Amino acid sequence: MPPSAGTVLRMWFEEVWNRRDAGRIAAYFAPDAIAYALDEAGADARGPEAFRAFFERFLDSFSDIHFTVHDVVEAGPMAVARWSASLTHSGGGLGVVPTGRTLTISGMTMARVEDGMIREGWNEWDRMRLATGCGLVQAAQ
């Protein structure tokens, strides 16, 4: 029996993100999966390779990123995780000079899981905090 949707979501954050194991992306993200509103601009990623490109670019910008999953709520094939991430802007993956600033952002991810794999994911997180903290945009005065 495959793991529950909530278990898959917890394992995703721990194994892929916190352990930085790009090899686990294809184990959890189905070949036809889509992650909606994934990146800092809100673009989608379709399939493991597209997600991996986002993952590598993000790690190039924030090599020390660490997710804490605070809550997971699940119902059947759906699970929602409320999380926070601490990260230091240490690289140029976002196209701007690294600031060295350490930030904490928060967000939620909802996933539809079938047969132990994410088929769809919806992501809402504090993109503005990331953008202002990294100098992508200037904070309002």
Side-chain angles (χ1 to χ4, degrees):
M1 183 170 169
S4 72
T7 298
V8 168
L9 206 48
R10 284 185 186 278
M11 290 168 30
W12 171 263
F13 281 106
E14 183 56 35
E15 294 178 20
V16 172
W17 284 104
N18 291 342
R19 294 182 191 165
R20 291 155 187 57
D21 189 347
R24 301 300 292 158
I25 293 170
Y28 292 118
F29 202 70
D32 60 345
I34 183 167
Y36 300 102
L38 180 64
D39 71 7
E40 68 282 359
D44 301 342
R46 294 180 183 273
E49 289 307 312
F51 185 88
R52 187 178 183 136
F54 162 75
F55 174 79
E56 290 174 352
R57 188 170 55 82
F58 223 70
L59 287 183
D60 185 44
S61 299
F62 311 102
S63 59
D64 68 345
I65 190 169
H66 181 83
F67 283 86
T68 300
V69 175
H70 301 286
D71 299 297
V72 173
V73 178
E74 62 184 298
M78 303 297 289
V80 178
R82 182 180 65 86
W83 52 262
S84 61
S86 60
L87 48 124
T88 304
H89 186 209
S90 56
L94 295 178
V96 294
V97 175
T99 63
R101 292 182 189 141
T102 297
L103 310 167
T104 299
I105 59 172
S106 60
M108 291 189 206
T109 298
M110 182 168 72
R112 182 174 62 83
V113 176
E114 293 177 359
D115 300 322
M117 296 188 84
I118 298 168
R119 300 294 177 162
E120 288 183 287
W122 295 264
N123 302 279
E124 291 300 331
W125 53 277
D126 194 348
R127 289 174 180 83
M128 184 58 75
R129 177 140 175 80
L130 181 87
T132 56
C134 296
L136 293 170
V137 297
Q138 296 298 315
Q141 299 295 326

